Amino acid sequence: MDAVFKALADSSRRKLLDELRKQNGQTLSELCEHLDMTRQAVTKHLVLLEKASLIAVVWRGREKLHYLNPMPLHEIYERWIGKYERHRLQALSDLKRGLESSAGRIRRGGQTKTKQKTRRKEKWRTRDRRSLT
Amino acid sequence: MKKDQFVYVTYIRTTPEKLWKALIEPEFTRQFWANTAQESEWKPGASWRIKAPGDLVTDSGEVLEIEPPRRLVLKWRNEFRPELKEEGYSRLTYQLEKEGKSVKLTVIHEIDKEGSKFIQAVSTGWPHILASLKSLLETGESLEETREWPREACK
C-alpha cells in the first residue's frame, strides 16, 4: 500500500491516470501526445504506476497498452470507507456535482445541447437519490 | 476494431490451482460472488452459465479457451437486464500467473462496441468480487456484502 500512496503523491502521475480514465488502454506514444512531458519522464512515471499496480499492462501484438487498474484503490476504499453507507456518500457526491455543475453553467453561459442533457440527467439522478435517503 | 475493455489485476497469496478452483466451483463462488454458481462442462465449446438463487440465469455464454490453471476465456452475455442483453456477447479472460508466493490474477472484460452499458455495469461489480475472492483465499473469509445476491438486482 506504501507504493500506491507514493505513486499517487505526484501530480504528473495523477494526470497520467486521468488520461487513462478519459481513454483507457493507451500506448506510450498516445499518452505522450496529451502530456507536456518528455517520453522518458512518462516512461518513468508509468513504471512506478505499474509497480504500484495502479495501471495494468496488456500486450496487443507488439503494442503495450496501459489500463487503469481499480483494485488498489478499491482496497483503500474497503479499508477506510467501506463501512460507511455507500448510498449516502453517493448522494452527497451527486449533490456536490449537481450544484457545482449548475453554478458552472451560470458562469460559462452557452453550451451544447448534449451537455445540457447530461447535466439535466445528473440533476434528476440527484433528486431521485435524495428522495430515497 | 473499436471496443470497450476493462482490466483488473490483483495479487493473491495462494496457488494457481486453488485460485482456479475458487473461480469456477460453486462451493467457492457462492461465498464471494453473490451466492451464485457457474454451470459448465469446462471444455472448449461447452456452454456456460451463472445461476443466482432461485434458478435465475443471470449470464450465459460459452467456454472459448480453457487451460487450467492458467487461462480461461469465456463468451459472456447478461441474461436478466434487457438493455445489457441486447448489446450481445462480451469476452472475459482470466489469466493466472505465479509470482513468488502469490498469483497475479488478470481479469479482462471486453466487448466489440464503444460506450457499452454492460462493461460499465460490470465495472462496479468486479472490484468487489475480486477483493472478496482475495479475502476468502487469504483469510478464509469472504467480504460480507458479497455473500448474498443483491435484492435490487433482481428486477
Side-chain angles (χ1 to χ4, degrees), chain B residues 93-139:
Chain B
T93 305
Y94 294 113
Q95 205 169 287
L96 292 70
E97 295 160 277
K98 200 167 159 29
E99 285 201 10
K101 287 182 179 162
S102 297
V103 182
K104 178 184 181 186
L105 171 66
T106 305
V107 176
I108 303 175
H109 212 153
E110 60 200 318
I111 197 164
D112 290 332
K113 180 181 191 321
E114 267 187 302
S116 160
K117 286 183 207 145
F118 173 70
I119 294 296
Q120 197 58 50
V122 294
S123 73
T124 53
W126 274 121
H128 273 298
I129 290 171
L130 297 175
S132 188
L133 164 66
K134 178 181 165 78
S135 177
L136 175 66
L137 288 170
E138 292 184 352
T139 71

mmCIF file of all heavy atoms in Angstrom, chain B residues 93-139:
data_model
loop_
_atom_site.group_PDB
_atom_site.id
_atom_site.type_symbol
_atom_site.label_atom_id
_atom_site.label_comp_id
_atom_site.label_asym_id
_atom_site.label_seq_id
_atom_site.Cartn_x
_atom_site.Cartn_y
_atom_site.Cartn_z
ATOM 1 N N THR B 93 -11.590 -12.790 -19.956
ATOM 2 C CA THR B 93 -10.361 -13.589 -19.866
ATOM 3 C C THR B 93 -9.831 -13.567 -18.439
ATOM 4 O O THR B 93 -9.681 -12.495 -17.845
ATOM 5 C CB THR B 93 -9.276 -13.010 -20.810
ATOM 6 O OG1 THR B 93 -9.805 -12.933 -22.129
ATOM 7 C CG2 THR B 93 -8.022 -13.881 -20.814
ATOM 8 N N TYR B 94 -9.585 -14.741 -17.891
ATOM 9 C CA TYR B 94 -8.856 -14.840 -16.624
ATOM 10 C C TYR B 94 -7.465 -15.340 -16.967
ATOM 11 O O TYR B 94 -7.321 -16.324 -17.694
ATOM 12 C CB TYR B 94 -9.444 -15.905 -15.699
ATOM 13 C CG TYR B 94 -10.819 -15.685 -15.165
ATOM 14 C CD1 TYR B 94 -11.861 -16.523 -15.555
ATOM 15 C CD2 TYR B 94 -11.092 -14.689 -14.235
ATOM 16 C CE1 TYR B 94 -13.137 -16.378 -15.040
ATOM 17 C CE2 TYR B 94 -12.370 -14.530 -13.712
ATOM 18 C CZ TYR B 94 -13.387 -15.377 -14.123
ATOM 19 O OH TYR B 94 -14.643 -15.226 -13.613
ATOM 20 N N GLN B 95 -6.464 -14.668 -16.399
ATOM 21 C CA GLN B 95 -5.096 -15.116 -16.603
ATOM 22 C C GLN B 95 -4.446 -15.267 -15.235
ATOM 23 O O GLN B 95 -4.490 -14.342 -14.423
ATOM 24 C CB GLN B 95 -4.387 -14.047 -17.397
ATOM 25 C CG GLN B 95 -3.223 -14.535 -18.194
ATOM 26 C CD GLN B 95 -2.789 -13.424 -19.130
ATOM 27 O OE1 GLN B 95 -3.462 -13.131 -20.120
ATOM 28 N NE2 GLN B 95 -1.698 -12.774 -18.780
ATOM 29 N N LEU B 96 -3.887 -16.429 -14.940
ATOM 30 C CA LEU B 96 -3.285 -16.682 -13.630
ATOM 31 C C LEU B 96 -1.792 -16.905 -13.807
ATOM 32 O O LEU B 96 -1.385 -17.785 -14.578
ATOM 33 C CB LEU B 96 -3.903 -17.918 -12.977
ATOM 34 C CG LEU B 96 -5.367 -17.867 -12.515
ATOM 35 C CD1 LEU B 96 -6.338 -17.835 -13.686
ATOM 36 C CD2 LEU B 96 -5.705 -19.060 -11.638
ATOM 37 N N GLU B 97 -0.980 -16.094 -13.128
ATOM 38 C CA GLU B 97 0.476 -16.246 -13.236
ATOM 39 C C GLU B 97 1.090 -16.299 -11.846
ATOM 40 O O GLU B 97 0.835 -15.424 -11.025
ATOM 41 C CB GLU B 97 1.081 -15.049 -13.981
ATOM 42 C CG GLU B 97 0.651 -14.920 -15.431
ATOM 43 C CD GLU B 97 0.869 -13.513 -15.963
ATOM 44 O OE1 GLU B 97 0.005 -12.652 -15.726
ATOM 45 O OE2 GLU B 97 1.913 -13.271 -16.591
ATOM 46 N N LYS B 98 1.903 -17.325 -11.623
ATOM 47 C CA LYS B 98 2.554 -17.442 -10.323
ATOM 48 C C LYS B 98 3.656 -16.398 -10.221
ATOM 49 O O LYS B 98 4.477 -16.259 -11.132
ATOM 50 C CB LYS B 98 3.142 -18.854 -10.202
ATOM 51 C CG LYS B 98 3.428 -19.288 -8.799
ATOM 52 C CD LYS B 98 3.681 -20.784 -8.781
ATOM 53 C CE LYS B 98 4.442 -21.286 -7.580
ATOM 54 N NZ LYS B 98 4.351 -20.603 -6.329
ATOM 55 N N GLU B 99 3.654 -15.634 -9.134
ATOM 56 C CA GLU B 99 4.730 -14.662 -8.899
ATOM 57 C C GLU B 99 5.166 -14.782 -7.455
ATOM 58 O O GLU B 99 4.511 -14.272 -6.554
ATOM 59 C CB GLU B 99 4.253 -13.234 -9.202
ATOM 60 C CG GLU B 99 4.144 -12.959 -10.685
ATOM 61 C CD GLU B 99 4.165 -11.484 -11.052
ATOM 62 O OE1 GLU B 99 4.449 -10.636 -10.188
ATOM 63 O OE2 GLU B 99 3.870 -11.194 -12.219
ATOM 64 N N GLY B 100 6.259 -15.494 -7.207
ATOM 65 C CA GLY B 100 6.715 -15.727 -5.841
ATOM 66 C C GLY B 100 5.690 -16.545 -5.087
ATOM 67 O O GLY B 100 5.256 -17.601 -5.564
ATOM 68 N N LYS B 101 5.263 -16.020 -3.924
ATOM 69 C CA LYS B 101 4.293 -16.751 -3.120
ATOM 70 C C LYS B 101 2.859 -16.381 -3.469
ATOM 71 O O LYS B 101 1.914 -16.795 -2.809
ATOM 72 C CB LYS B 101 4.551 -16.474 -1.635
ATOM 73 C CG LYS B 101 5.799 -17.180 -1.133
ATOM 74 C CD LYS B 101 6.020 -16.943 0.337
ATOM 75 C CE LYS B 101 7.270 -17.685 0.804
ATOM 76 N NZ LYS B 101 7.765 -17.171 2.071
ATOM 77 N N SER B 102 2.709 -15.528 -4.487
ATOM 78 C CA SER B 102 1.371 -15.078 -4.866
ATOM 79 C C SER B 102 1.030 -15.493 -6.292
ATOM 80 O O SER B 102 1.882 -15.975 -7.026
ATOM 81 C CB SER B 102 1.285 -13.553 -4.787
ATOM 82 O OG SER B 102 1.481 -13.124 -3.465
ATOM 83 N N VAL B 103 -0.226 -15.270 -6.629
ATOM 84 C CA VAL B 103 -0.655 -15.460 -8.007
ATOM 85 C C VAL B 103 -1.163 -14.112 -8.501
ATOM 86 O O VAL B 103 -1.946 -13.448 -7.828
ATOM 87 C CB VAL B 103 -1.791 -16.510 -8.114
ATOM 88 C CG1 VAL B 103 -2.174 -16.724 -9.568
ATOM 89 C CG2 VAL B 103 -1.366 -17.825 -7.489
ATOM 90 N N LYS B 104 -0.690 -13.708 -9.663
ATOM 91 C CA LYS B 104 -1.189 -12.486 -10.274
ATOM 92 C C LYS B 104 -2.401 -12.884 -11.104
ATOM 93 O O LYS B 104 -2.285 -13.658 -12.047
ATOM 94 C CB LYS B 104 -0.104 -11.875 -11.174
ATOM 95 C CG LYS B 104 -0.553 -10.611 -11.889
ATOM 96 C CD LYS B 104 0.545 -10.136 -12.844
ATOM 97 C CE LYS B 104 0.126 -8.858 -13.543
ATOM 98 N NZ LYS B 104 1.097 -8.461 -14.577
ATOM 99 N N LEU B 105 -3.548 -12.358 -10.696
ATOM 100 C CA LEU B 105 -4.770 -12.646 -11.439
ATOM 101 C C LEU B 105 -5.123 -11.424 -12.282
ATOM 102 O O LEU B 105 -5.301 -10.325 -11.768
ATOM 103 C CB LEU B 105 -5.924 -12.957 -10.468
ATOM 104 C CG LEU B 105 -7.319 -13.062 -11.099
ATOM 105 C CD1 LEU B 105 -7.412 -14.269 -12.044
ATOM 106 C CD2 LEU B 105 -8.410 -13.169 -10.028
ATOM 107 N N THR B 106 -5.184 -11.630 -13.598
ATOM 108 C CA THR B 106 -5.602 -10.549 -14.501
ATOM 109 C C THR B 106 -6.973 -10.919 -15.054
ATOM 110 O O THR B 106 -7.171 -12.031 -15.552
ATOM 111 C CB THR B 106 -4.604 -10.384 -15.669
ATOM 112 O OG1 THR B 106 -3.299 -10.190 -15.124
ATOM 113 C CG2 THR B 106 -4.963 -9.195 -16.540
ATOM 114 N N VAL B 107 -7.913 -10.004 -14.927
ATOM 115 C CA VAL B 107 -9.253 -10.222 -15.461
ATOM 116 C C VAL B 107 -9.486 -9.153 -16.530
ATOM 117 O O VAL B 107 -9.344 -7.968 -16.262
ATOM 118 C CB VAL B 107 -10.318 -10.089 -14.349
ATOM 119 C CG1 VAL B 107 -11.722 -10.226 -14.921
ATOM 120 C CG2 VAL B 107 -10.090 -11.131 -13.264
ATOM 121 N N ILE B 108 -9.780 -9.591 -17.733
ATOM 122 C CA ILE B 108 -10.053 -8.641 -18.821
ATOM 123 C C ILE B 108 -11.487 -8.868 -19.295
ATOM 124 O O ILE B 108 -11.863 -9.982 -19.656
ATOM 125 C CB ILE B 108 -9.080 -8.840 -20.007
ATOM 126 C CG1 ILE B 108 -7.632 -8.700 -19.529
ATOM 127 C CG2 ILE B 108 -9.376 -7.842 -21.127
ATOM 128 C CD1 ILE B 108 -6.597 -8.998 -20.598
ATOM 129 N N HIS B 109 -12.295 -7.822 -19.247
ATOM 130 C CA HIS B 109 -13.666 -7.937 -19.748
ATOM 131 C C HIS B 109 -13.820 -6.960 -20.894
ATOM 132 O O HIS B 109 -13.610 -5.768 -20.725
ATOM 133 C CB HIS B 109 -14.673 -7.641 -18.624
ATOM 134 C CG HIS B 109 -15.932 -8.413 -18.782
ATOM 135 N ND1 HIS B 109 -16.746 -8.768 -17.742
ATOM 136 C CD2 HIS B 109 -16.512 -8.932 -19.898
ATOM 137 C CE1 HIS B 109 -17.784 -9.458 -18.217
ATOM 138 N NE2 HIS B 109 -17.653 -9.564 -19.500
ATOM 139 N N GLU B 110 -14.164 -7.452 -22.076
ATOM 140 C CA GLU B 110 -14.190 -6.588 -23.261
ATOM 141 C C GLU B 110 -15.384 -6.897 -24.156
ATOM 142 O O GLU B 110 -15.941 -7.997 -24.115
ATOM 143 C CB GLU B 110 -12.881 -6.731 -24.051
ATOM 144 C CG GLU B 110 -12.622 -8.141 -24.535
ATOM 145 C CD GLU B 110 -11.145 -8.389 -24.878
ATOM 146 O OE1 GLU B 110 -10.522 -7.521 -25.493
ATOM 147 O OE2 GLU B 110 -10.646 -9.467 -24.541
ATOM 148 N N ILE B 111 -15.748 -5.899 -24.942
ATOM 149 C CA ILE B 111 -16.856 -6.066 -25.884
ATOM 150 C C ILE B 111 -16.520 -5.244 -27.129
ATOM 151 O O ILE B 111 -15.879 -4.192 -27.024
ATOM 152 C CB ILE B 111 -18.186 -5.624 -25.231
ATOM 153 C CG1 ILE B 111 -19.410 -6.140 -25.975
ATOM 154 C CG2 ILE B 111 -18.273 -4.109 -25.085
ATOM 155 C CD1 ILE B 111 -20.708 -6.051 -25.177
ATOM 156 N N ASP B 112 -16.928 -5.743 -28.297
ATOM 157 C CA ASP B 112 -16.608 -5.026 -29.554
ATOM 158 C C ASP B 112 -17.611 -3.907 -29.790
ATOM 159 O O ASP B 112 -18.429 -3.968 -30.715
ATOM 160 C CB ASP B 112 -16.624 -6.007 -30.740
ATOM 161 C CG ASP B 112 -15.447 -6.965 -30.671
ATOM 162 O OD1 ASP B 112 -14.410 -6.586 -30.098
ATOM 163 O OD2 ASP B 112 -15.578 -8.096 -31.171
ATOM 164 N N LYS B 113 -17.554 -2.904 -28.951
ATOM 165 C CA LYS B 113 -18.559 -1.844 -29.011
ATOM 166 C C LYS B 113 -18.038 -0.724 -28.147
ATOM 167 O O LYS B 113 -17.404 -0.980 -27.134
ATOM 168 C CB LYS B 113 -19.849 -2.418 -28.411
ATOM 169 C CG LYS B 113 -21.029 -1.511 -28.374
ATOM 170 C CD LYS B 113 -22.186 -2.264 -27.713
ATOM 171 C CE LYS B 113 -23.517 -1.611 -27.829
ATOM 172 N NZ LYS B 113 -23.648 -0.217 -27.722
ATOM 173 N N GLU B 114 -18.304 0.505 -28.546
ATOM 174 C CA GLU B 114 -17.889 1.626 -27.696
ATOM 175 C C GLU B 114 -19.055 2.107 -26.859
ATOM 176 O O GLU B 114 -20.208 2.027 -27.297
ATOM 177 C CB GLU B 114 -17.370 2.767 -28.569
ATOM 178 C CG GLU B 114 -15.868 2.707 -28.754
ATOM 179 C CD GLU B 114 -15.341 3.938 -29.466
ATOM 180 O OE1 GLU B 114 -15.816 4.187 -30.592
ATOM 181 O OE2 GLU B 114 -14.489 4.620 -28.896
ATOM 182 N N GLY B 115 -18.767 2.585 -25.671
ATOM 183 C CA GLY B 115 -19.811 3.127 -24.797
ATOM 184 C C GLY B 115 -20.741 2.035 -24.293
ATOM 185 O O GLY B 115 -21.943 2.249 -24.132
ATOM 186 N N SER B 116 -20.194 0.848 -24.061
ATOM 187 C CA SER B 116 -21.013 -0.288 -23.643
ATOM 188 C C SER B 116 -21.570 -0.119 -22.233
ATOM 189 O O SER B 116 -20.834 0.143 -21.287
ATOM 190 C CB SER B 116 -20.164 -1.561 -23.706
ATOM 191 O OG SER B 116 -20.737 -2.580 -22.914
ATOM 192 N N LYS B 117 -22.893 -0.278 -22.118
ATOM 193 C CA LYS B 117 -23.532 -0.209 -20.798
ATOM 194 C C LYS B 117 -23.158 -1.440 -19.982
ATOM 195 O O LYS B 117 -23.072 -1.401 -18.770
ATOM 196 C CB LYS B 117 -25.062 -0.186 -20.947
ATOM 197 C CG LYS B 117 -25.593 1.130 -21.442
ATOM 198 C CD LYS B 117 -27.119 1.057 -21.467
ATOM 199 C CE LYS B 117 -27.652 2.012 -22.507
ATOM 200 N NZ LYS B 117 -28.855 1.524 -23.180
ATOM 201 N N PHE B 118 -22.983 -2.565 -20.690
ATOM 202 C CA PHE B 118 -22.654 -3.802 -19.990
ATOM 203 C C PHE B 118 -21.289 -3.711 -19.304
ATOM 204 O O PHE B 118 -21.158 -4.000 -18.116
ATOM 205 C CB PHE B 118 -22.686 -4.980 -20.968
ATOM 206 C CG PHE B 118 -22.207 -6.262 -20.358
ATOM 207 C CD1 PHE B 118 -22.971 -6.909 -19.397
ATOM 208 C CD2 PHE B 118 -20.984 -6.812 -20.707
ATOM 209 C CE1 PHE B 118 -22.522 -8.083 -18.801
ATOM 210 C CE2 PHE B 118 -20.524 -7.972 -20.124
ATOM 211 C CZ PHE B 118 -21.296 -8.612 -19.171
ATOM 212 N N ILE B 119 -20.279 -3.268 -20.044
ATOM 213 C CA ILE B 119 -18.928 -3.165 -19.479
ATOM 214 C C ILE B 119 -18.935 -2.159 -18.318
ATOM 215 O O ILE B 119 -18.288 -2.359 -17.291
ATOM 216 C CB ILE B 119 -17.900 -2.779 -20.578
ATOM 217 C CG1 ILE B 119 -17.782 -3.909 -21.608
ATOM 218 C CG2 ILE B 119 -16.530 -2.446 -20.005
ATOM 219 C CD1 ILE B 119 -17.242 -5.236 -21.079
ATOM 220 N N GLN B 120 -19.729 -1.096 -18.480
ATOM 221 C CA GLN B 120 -19.874 -0.111 -17.412
ATOM 222 C C GLN B 120 -20.522 -0.755 -16.179
ATOM 223 O O GLN B 120 -20.078 -0.564 -15.055
ATOM 224 C CB GLN B 120 -20.746 1.049 -17.920
ATOM 225 C CG GLN B 120 -20.647 2.315 -17.093
ATOM 226 C CD GLN B 120 -19.216 2.833 -16.999
ATOM 227 O OE1 GLN B 120 -18.550 2.959 -18.023
ATOM 228 N NE2 GLN B 120 -18.743 3.093 -15.790
ATOM 229 N N ALA B 121 -21.564 -1.556 -16.423
ATOM 230 C CA ALA B 121 -22.288 -2.186 -15.315
ATOM 231 C C ALA B 121 -21.396 -3.168 -14.551
ATOM 232 O O ALA B 121 -21.376 -3.168 -13.321
ATOM 233 C CB ALA B 121 -23.542 -2.895 -15.832
ATOM 234 N N VAL B 122 -20.630 -3.985 -15.271
ATOM 235 C CA VAL B 122 -19.798 -4.957 -14.556
ATOM 236 C C VAL B 122 -18.592 -4.284 -13.890
ATOM 237 O O VAL B 122 -18.007 -4.829 -12.966
ATOM 238 C CB VAL B 122 -19.299 -6.131 -15.438
ATOM 239 C CG1 VAL B 122 -20.460 -6.994 -15.888
ATOM 240 C CG2 VAL B 122 -18.477 -5.666 -16.627
ATOM 241 N N SER B 123 -18.249 -3.087 -14.355
ATOM 242 C CA SER B 123 -17.045 -2.442 -13.820
ATOM 243 C C SER B 123 -17.181 -2.061 -12.346
ATOM 244 O O SER B 123 -16.196 -1.895 -11.657
ATOM 245 C CB SER B 123 -16.671 -1.215 -14.637
ATOM 246 O OG SER B 123 -17.578 -0.176 -14.358
ATOM 247 N N THR B 124 -18.412 -1.945 -11.870
ATOM 248 C CA THR B 124 -18.554 -1.661 -10.446
ATOM 249 C C THR B 124 -18.593 -2.962 -9.642
ATOM 250 O O THR B 124 -18.282 -2.976 -8.461
ATOM 251 C CB THR B 124 -19.831 -0.846 -10.142
ATOM 252 O OG1 THR B 124 -20.930 -1.527 -10.731
ATOM 253 C CG2 THR B 124 -19.739 0.550 -10.705
ATOM 254 N N GLY B 125 -18.978 -4.042 -10.310
ATOM 255 C CA GLY B 125 -19.083 -5.329 -9.620
ATOM 256 C C GLY B 125 -17.752 -6.049 -9.451
ATOM 257 O O GLY B 125 -17.454 -6.594 -8.392
ATOM 258 N N TRP B 126 -16.929 -6.041 -10.495
ATOM 259 C CA TRP B 126 -15.680 -6.804 -10.466
ATOM 260 C C TRP B 126 -14.763 -6.472 -9.284
ATOM 261 O O TRP B 126 -14.280 -7.396 -8.611
ATOM 262 C CB TRP B 126 -14.913 -6.668 -11.793
ATOM 263 C CG TRP B 126 -15.340 -7.648 -12.843
ATOM 264 C CD1 TRP B 126 -15.830 -7.348 -14.076
ATOM 265 C CD2 TRP B 126 -15.334 -9.080 -12.764
ATOM 266 N NE1 TRP B 126 -16.126 -8.495 -14.769
ATOM 267 C CE2 TRP B 126 -15.829 -9.570 -13.990
ATOM 268 C CE3 TRP B 126 -14.971 -9.999 -11.778
ATOM 269 C CZ2 TRP B 126 -15.951 -10.941 -14.250
ATOM 270 C CZ3 TRP B 126 -15.097 -11.356 -12.034
ATOM 271 C CH2 TRP B 126 -15.585 -11.810 -13.252
ATOM 272 N N PRO B 127 -14.493 -5.189 -8.995
ATOM 273 C CA PRO B 127 -13.586 -4.933 -7.864
ATOM 274 C C PRO B 127 -14.086 -5.533 -6.556
ATOM 275 O O PRO B 127 -13.300 -6.081 -5.776
ATOM 276 C CB PRO B 127 -13.532 -3.399 -7.788
ATOM 277 C CG PRO B 127 -13.819 -2.958 -9.186
ATOM 278 C CD PRO B 127 -14.834 -3.934 -9.697
ATOM 279 N N HIS B 128 -15.413 -5.488 -6.328
ATOM 280 C CA HIS B 128 -15.986 -6.078 -5.118
ATOM 281 C C HIS B 128 -15.762 -7.581 -5.079
ATOM 282 O O HIS B 128 -15.331 -8.151 -4.084
ATOM 283 C CB HIS B 128 -17.497 -5.844 -5.079
ATOM 284 C CG HIS B 128 -17.876 -4.543 -4.467
ATOM 285 N ND1 HIS B 128 -17.589 -4.234 -3.164
ATOM 286 C CD2 HIS B 128 -18.509 -3.476 -4.974
ATOM 287 C CE1 HIS B 128 -18.031 -3.025 -2.906
ATOM 288 N NE2 HIS B 128 -18.592 -2.533 -3.988
ATOM 289 N N ILE B 129 -16.095 -8.219 -6.207
ATOM 290 C CA ILE B 129 -16.000 -9.677 -6.283
ATOM 291 C C ILE B 129 -14.542 -10.126 -6.108
ATOM 292 O O ILE B 129 -14.241 -11.040 -5.344
ATOM 293 C CB ILE B 129 -16.570 -10.182 -7.632
ATOM 294 C CG1 ILE B 129 -18.091 -9.985 -7.645
ATOM 295 C CG2 ILE B 129 -16.219 -11.640 -7.876
ATOM 296 C CD1 ILE B 129 -18.742 -10.228 -8.982
ATOM 297 N N LEU B 130 -13.627 -9.429 -6.798
ATOM 298 C CA LEU B 130 -12.214 -9.835 -6.735
ATOM 299 C C LEU B 130 -11.596 -9.557 -5.363
ATOM 300 O O LEU B 130 -10.780 -10.342 -4.880
ATOM 301 C CB LEU B 130 -11.419 -9.152 -7.848
ATOM 302 C CG LEU B 130 -11.867 -9.536 -9.271
ATOM 303 C CD1 LEU B 130 -11.118 -8.721 -10.307
ATOM 304 C CD2 LEU B 130 -11.660 -11.033 -9.530
ATOM 305 N N ALA B 131 -12.013 -8.458 -4.731
ATOM 306 C CA ALA B 131 -11.491 -8.164 -3.389
ATOM 307 C C ALA B 131 -11.973 -9.239 -2.419
ATOM 308 O O ALA B 131 -11.236 -9.683 -1.531
ATOM 309 C CB ALA B 131 -11.956 -6.788 -2.929
ATOM 310 N N SER B 132 -13.216 -9.676 -2.614
ATOM 311 C CA SER B 132 -13.775 -10.694 -1.740
ATOM 312 C C SER B 132 -13.115 -12.056 -1.967
ATOM 313 O O SER B 132 -12.849 -12.802 -1.021
ATOM 314 C CB SER B 132 -15.288 -10.774 -1.978
ATOM 315 O OG SER B 132 -15.890 -11.604 -1.036
ATOM 316 N N LEU B 133 -12.835 -12.362 -3.232
ATOM 317 C CA LEU B 133 -12.142 -13.602 -3.577
ATOM 318 C C LEU B 133 -10.751 -13.625 -2.912
ATOM 319 O O LEU B 133 -10.331 -14.635 -2.337
ATOM 320 C CB LEU B 133 -11.996 -13.679 -5.104
ATOM 321 C CG LEU B 133 -11.003 -14.668 -5.699
ATOM 322 C CD1 LEU B 133 -11.446 -16.101 -5.419
ATOM 323 C CD2 LEU B 133 -10.854 -14.471 -7.205
ATOM 324 N N LYS B 134 -10.050 -12.493 -2.967
ATOM 325 C CA LYS B 134 -8.732 -12.383 -2.348
ATOM 326 C C LYS B 134 -8.841 -12.618 -0.841
ATOM 327 O O LYS B 134 -8.081 -13.375 -0.242
ATOM 328 C CB LYS B 134 -8.163 -10.977 -2.635
ATOM 329 C CG LYS B 134 -6.805 -10.693 -2.024
ATOM 330 C CD LYS B 134 -6.386 -9.261 -2.384
ATOM 331 C CE LYS B 134 -5.251 -8.744 -1.541
ATOM 332 N NZ LYS B 134 -3.937 -9.243 -1.945
ATOM 333 N N SER B 135 -9.823 -11.978 -0.247
ATOM 334 C CA SER B 135 -10.030 -12.117 1.186
ATOM 335 C C SER B 135 -10.328 -13.576 1.564
ATOM 336 O O SER B 135 -9.785 -14.111 2.522
ATOM 337 C CB SER B 135 -11.166 -11.185 1.616
ATOM 338 O OG SER B 135 -11.431 -11.344 2.971
ATOM 339 N N LEU B 136 -11.193 -14.211 0.761
ATOM 340 C CA LEU B 136 -11.558 -15.608 1.035
ATOM 341 C C LEU B 136 -10.320 -16.514 0.992
ATOM 342 O O LEU B 136 -10.106 -17.335 1.888
ATOM 343 C CB LEU B 136 -12.597 -16.087 0.004
ATOM 344 C CG LEU B 136 -12.992 -17.561 0.083
ATOM 345 C CD1 LEU B 136 -13.741 -17.861 1.384
ATOM 346 C CD2 LEU B 136 -13.856 -17.970 -1.101
ATOM 347 N N LEU B 137 -9.495 -16.366 -0.036
ATOM 348 C CA LEU B 137 -8.340 -17.251 -0.182
ATOM 349 C C LEU B 137 -7.239 -16.948 0.832
ATOM 350 O O LEU B 137 -6.509 -17.837 1.248
ATOM 351 C CB LEU B 137 -7.788 -17.171 -1.608
ATOM 352 C CG LEU B 137 -8.668 -17.844 -2.672
ATOM 353 C CD1 LEU B 137 -8.184 -17.510 -4.061
ATOM 354 C CD2 LEU B 137 -8.706 -19.358 -2.489
ATOM 355 N N GLU B 138 -7.112 -15.683 1.224
ATOM 356 C CA GLU B 138 -6.020 -15.334 2.148
ATOM 357 C C GLU B 138 -6.408 -15.476 3.612
ATOM 358 O O GLU B 138 -5.559 -15.736 4.456
ATOM 359 C CB GLU B 138 -5.535 -13.901 1.855
ATOM 360 C CG GLU B 138 -4.839 -13.797 0.506
ATOM 361 C CD GLU B 138 -4.261 -12.414 0.223
ATOM 362 O OE1 GLU B 138 -4.523 -11.477 0.995
ATOM 363 O OE2 GLU B 138 -3.545 -12.293 -0.787
ATOM 364 N N THR B 139 -7.674 -15.253 3.932
ATOM 365 C CA THR B 139 -8.069 -15.270 5.343
ATOM 366 C C THR B 139 -9.103 -16.346 5.659
ATOM 367 O O THR B 139 -9.418 -16.581 6.812
ATOM 368 C CB THR B 139 -8.682 -13.914 5.780
ATOM 369 O OG1 THR B 139 -9.972 -13.784 5.154
ATOM 370 C CG2 THR B 139 -7.810 -12.739 5.378
#
